[in-house]
Amino acid sequence: MCGIVGYVGTDHAKERIIDGLKRLEYRGYDSAGIALPIDGKIEIRKHVGEIKNLEKIIAEPEFDSSVGIGHTRWATHGVPSDLNAHPHANADNSIAIVHNGIIENYQEIKEWLVKDYGVKFKSETDSEVIAHLIGIYYDGDLLQAVNKAVEQMRGAYAVAAIAAAEPDKIVAVRKDAPLVAGIGKGFNFIASDIPALLKYVREVYLIENNETVVLTKDDIKIYNEAGKVVKRDVFHVTWDADAAEKEGYEHFMLKEIHEQPKGIQETLVRRIAEDGKINLDGISMTKEDIENFDKVYIVACGTAYHAGLVGKLVIEKMARVPVEVDIASEFRYRDPFVDEKTLFIAISQSGETLDTLAALREAKRKGARVLSVVNVVGSSVARESDDVFYTWAGPEIAVASTKAYTTQLICMYLIGLYMGSTKGTIEKDYYTQVLEELKLLPEKVEKLFAEEGEIAALAKKYHRKDQVFYVGRGLDSGVSYEGSLKLKEISYINSFAIAAGELKHGTIALMEEETLVFALATQDFLYEKMVSNVEEIKARGAHVIAVAKEGKTEIEQVADEVIYIPTCMDEVSPVLAVIPLQIFAYYVAKERGCNIDKPKNLAKSVTVE
């Protein structure tokens, strides 16, 4: 979603803000802008489209300051336009703000401001009301004015504000939207996400919910909801800023596809001890805790939800406990059956997905034990969970998730094995066999990259299709959903996934000449049934690309093309089966000339409902 960057120091603010905004491009945006206090007033420049459009209109040397705020907008209220772009200011340009989130009662506030104060609004956004609210309450103390404005606001937001009369500070506040403060020497930053700051700082404060932060060049003060100063531990960032660069790849997505062996290896080696036991640092579940759980909820959105579909089957098989997978945006609105005997697993790459965060809070309110699987250390989901299982995928920049998904799968296997071995519901030989299979995955994924050229050729052959189907059984069914999502989100092709056994209950009516179908057949005990499904599809004239294990060559007799993955246990095949689907989606989007890393209408971190 929207990205915020603020700088207070002694150097050129606009250069640092622009650099930070570029590093937040992965969040998705349709416009960008900057506000600087200059000569007693606030100057704002903003432009629809890419950041390079903004750079052209801020090039004059007179537009500069040592303090400023910047923003990349992803439209929620009002179409993408120069007027709707942030920053927004009050009537006399004495206050400017940038905002990530949604003000749910903005219409009510707007009507009040128009009626009682005669405010004239310039934009269609909900965010503009914040600038006018702060302006009305401002009497020389920006912190106090922000706090009074916040009292009137309902919703989710991270807001950063500057005042022309106090050109040496930024005041920011957070509620249900990510915010961090970067600690420099003679300068300080505020931002939506750590990558925006890594070029300049390594130490940050993670701002908590309902906290306000005041930045000057020499100081950062954090206040809680009661107005008391909060002492906060410094979070030291260990990963390298270079990890967020393309390193010679044409797109971040392709780079991240190729980083999956490393991510899988890192996630494994940090969790498996030399004696073969799983070491779940950050997770304090005892044998008694695990035996107490009578059900598990896995709750997530998008790609993370698809990882949960695989996780359900894995955990049920290994821990012998019923598992339900739910979409986070639906979970909290149906009064779910959750209590102190429930293990609630939240999966989120960013750890800032608002729907997942809200579902987590509802589960905690009902007494559930919360275990989160996240990629971003110190994120909101991680901080609000009882236990945290970090994936070690590294920064993921492309909007379409790849390496986060496969490392989330690894976490699902390790959680299942840990619970099963602790409860005694799996045999030691089986436990050892699965662990050994997991350890072989990085090498097997690397082997799949040798087929990249052939998969790219298939993409070139079929990139003009306007609809594609993905089918599978068992674990392959969950992978089908992820393969379908990858294709639709970056190529804009209408793709559809369904459990293969459901074909004859309606979907087979859509099979006709030249329909393209991906048929996943990597589950040995379901292989013959999948071959039969492929025969049914072919009988309607459709074109089938099958994904099967090496040696399962019978499928060549019914499929038009076959992509083979290395031989493995059925349980771990999703990690391998998804790789060709990711590669196919990437090359189809490339053939179609799509913006692969930043597909239209999408954002990396969905921080609004």
Side-chain angles (χ1 to χ4, degrees):
M1 287 301 179
C2 306
I4 290 173
V5 179
Y7 169 84
V8 183
T10 57
D11 294 317
H12 303 289
K14 70 178 182 182
E15 294 177 7
R16 284 149 182 78
I17 292 169
I18 284 290
D19 183 75
L21 293 179
K22 287 180 177 178
R23 294 173 186 273
L24 292 178
E25 284 184 306
Y26 66 89
R27 295 172 68 88
Y29 72 103
D30 51 57
S31 56
I34 289 181
L36 306 175
I38 301 173
D39 297 331
K41 61 180 181 178
I42 292 175
E43 296 285 348
I44 295 176
R45 303 284 189 277
K46 51 188 180 176
H47 206 299
V48 72
E50 297 183 14
I51 291 173
K52 63 183 179 183
N53 297 337
L54 174 63
E55 289 183 282
K56 292 175 183 176
I57 63 172
I58 65 170
E60 70 270 24
E62 293 80 14
F63 184 74
D64 206 357
S65 173
S66 59
V67 177
I69 53 177
H71 190 269
T72 50
R73 177 179 186 252
W74 191 85
T76 52
H77 292 75
V79 299
S81 68
D82 290 352
L83 281 177
N84 289 332
H86 295 219
H88 291 289
N90 65 336
D92 63 1
N93 271 36
S94 61
I95 302 290
I97 65 96
V98 289
H99 166 225
N100 172 23
I102 288 179
I103 306 304
E104 294 174 354
N105 62 331
Y106 87 98
Q107 196 64 49
E108 173 188 322
I109 296 172
K110 185 174 182 178
E111 290 171 2
W112 171 65
L113 290 170
V114 171
K115 179 182 177 183
D116 288 15
Y117 293 92
V119 171
K120 294 182 179 180
F121 285 81
K122 299 176 182 177
S123 77
E124 305 168 286
T125 71
D126 57 329
S127 305
E128 190 181 349
V129 302
I130 304 171
H132 291 292
L133 268 180
I134 295 172
I136 285 168
Y137 292 126
Y138 185 71
D139 62 0
D141 187 335
L142 183 59
L143 173 61
Q144 185 179 61
V146 168
N147 286 336
K148 287 184 176 179
V150 165
E151 291 175 4
Q152 306 296 316
M153 291 157 42
R154 295 196 307 271
Y157 48 81
V159 177
I162 55 175
E166 297 177 79
D168 62 341
K169 71 174 60 170
I170 296 173
V171 176
V173 61
R174 181 212 164 177
K175 181 179 183 293
D176 294 334
L179 196 66
V180 299
I183 308 164
K185 294 182 179 179
F187 64 90
N188 290 301
F189 280 95
I190 200 82
S192 296
D193 208 349
I194 290 172
L197 314 178
L198 281 186
K199 183 176 178 180
Y200 304 100
V201 301
R202 285 285 171 178
E203 295 185 331
V204 301
Y205 290 127
L206 304 174
I207 308 305
E208 300 284 359
N209 238 10
N210 300 310
E211 290 184 339
T212 306
V213 56
V214 178
L215 281 79
T216 62
K217 68 182 181 65
D218 298 316
D219 193 26
I220 298 175
K221 278 194 170 63
I222 302 170
Y223 299 87
N224 62 19
E225 205 170 359
K228 303 295 184 183
V229 175
V230 176
K231 294 201 174 189
R232 177 66 37 79
D233 292 336
V234 172
F235 177 74
H236 184 76
V237 183
T238 57
W239 42 275
D240 196 332
D242 290 341
E245 301 300 327
K246 292 180 184 175
E247 297 178 359
Y249 288 94
E250 187 173 353
H251 297 94
F252 280 114
M253 183 179 177
L254 185 60
K255 170 179 177 274
E256 288 158 8
I257 288 171
H258 280 265
E259 287 177 335
Q260 288 177 109
K262 180 182 178 183
I264 293 167
Q265 180 72 15
E266 286 288 308
T267 303
L268 283 171
V269 299
R270 294 172 184 269
R271 297 298 186 179
I272 301 176
E274 290 184 8
D275 60 2
K277 291 184 178 178
I278 296 171
N279 177 25
L280 296 186
D281 290 333
I283 298 176
S284 57
M285 289 189 297
T286 64
K287 185 175 187 290
E288 291 72 23
D289 292 331
I290 293 171
E291 290 176 340
N292 181 60
F293 299 137
D294 60 13
K295 58 182 170 294
V296 177
Y297 272 102
I298 301 177
V299 177
C301 302
T303 287
Y305 170 75
H306 298 155
L309 294 176
V310 174
K312 167 186 167 64
L313 298 183
V314 169
I315 294 173
E316 283 186 340
K317 180 181 178 75
M318 297 179 181
R320 307 310 299 164
V321 61
V323 180
E324 185 169 342
V325 188
D326 211 345
I327 297 168
S329 57
E330 296 293 327
F331 176 82
R332 66 189 173 115
Y333 295 115
R334 61 179 184 81
D335 194 20
F337 291 100
V338 173
D339 56 26
E340 66 279 355
K341 290 189 175 184
T342 302
L343 174 62
F344 179 95
I345 302 177
I347 310 177
S348 171
Q349 188 282 139
S350 68
E352 301 295 349
T353 308
L354 185 60
D355 286 320
T356 304
L357 195 55
L360 180 158
R361 289 168 180 163
E362 175 66 7
K364 285 192 78 170
R365 186 184 70 80
K366 288 174 172 281
R369 176 71 168 264
V370 175
L371 164 62
S372 65
V373 175
V374 295
N375 191 42
V376 180
V377 177
S379 57
S380 298
V381 168
R383 298 202 303 274
E384 296 192 29
S385 299
D386 299 304
D387 305 286
V388 184
F389 196 147
Y390 285 113
T391 60
W392 290 92
E396 190 175 66
I397 305 302
V399 168
S401 182
T402 52
K403 62 179 182 174
Y405 173 76
T406 47
T407 53
Q408 286 164 358
L409 293 184
I410 298 301
C411 294
M412 293 293 99
Y413 294 125
L414 293 179
I415 290 169
L417 286 171
Y418 181 79
M419 292 179 68
S421 62
T422 302
K423 286 178 67 177
T425 49
I426 54 175
E427 298 293 332
K428 184 176 180 181
D429 287 348
Y430 177 79
Y431 172 91
T432 303
Q433 185 184 6
V434 176
L435 270 190
E436 291 306 311
E437 288 276 340
L438 291 174
K439 291 175 184 178
L440 292 172
L441 285 175
E443 180 183 343
K444 290 181 178 180
V445 172
E446 286 283 2
K447 185 178 178 181
L448 277 169
F449 294 145
E451 300 181 36
E452 188 170 333
E454 296 174 18
I455 298 170
L458 290 175
K460 188 176 183 68
K461 183 177 179 180
Y462 297 115
H463 75 275
R464 290 189 176 90
K465 295 289 183 183
D466 56 9
Q467 70 175 6
V468 179
F469 291 86
Y470 290 75
V471 299
R473 288 175 175 265
L475 290 170
D476 282 338
S477 175
V479 180
S480 294
Y481 283 97
E482 177 58 14
S484 174
L485 177 62
K486 284 288 101 41
L487 185 66
K488 73 177 67 170
E489 66 185 339
I490 63 170
S491 73
Y492 318 138
I493 291 173
N494 180 26
S495 63
F496 182 84
I498 188 170
E502 284 291 292
L503 280 169
K504 288 185 286 188
H505 295 277
T507 304
I508 203 164
L510 300 174
M511 300 297 163
E512 57 188 20
E513 293 289 335
E514 298 308 313
T515 299
L516 180 61
V517 180
F518 268 89
L520 277 67
T522 73
Q523 301 295 289
D524 291 343
F525 78 107
L526 293 168
Y527 179 74
E528 291 181 355
K529 292 188 180 296
M530 273 306 302
V531 170
S532 295
N533 288 136
V534 172
E535 288 178 322
E536 292 168 349
I537 294 166
K538 286 296 296 176
R540 275 75 182 175
H543 195 101
V544 176
I545 301 174
V547 179
K549 292 177 185 174
E550 291 173 339
K552 296 288 187 176
T553 56
E554 301 90 341
I555 203 163
E556 292 178 10
Q557 298 172 22
V558 291
D560 295 280
E561 284 105 0
V562 182
I563 300 170
Y564 288 106
I565 65 171
T567 302
C568 63
M569 290 180 71
D570 283 0
E571 286 87 335
V572 304
S573 67
V575 179
L576 300 173
V578 77
I579 305 296
L581 308 186
Q582 295 171 345
I583 295 171
F584 180 80
Y586 170 81
Y587 281 103
V588 167
K590 184 179 177 182
E591 290 290 338
R592 291 167 70 95
C594 300
N595 189 340
I596 292 173
D597 287 335
K598 293 177 284 183
K600 64 183 181 182
N601 301 331
L602 298 179
K604 186 65 175 173
S605 178
V606 182
T607 55
V608 296
E609 281 195 273

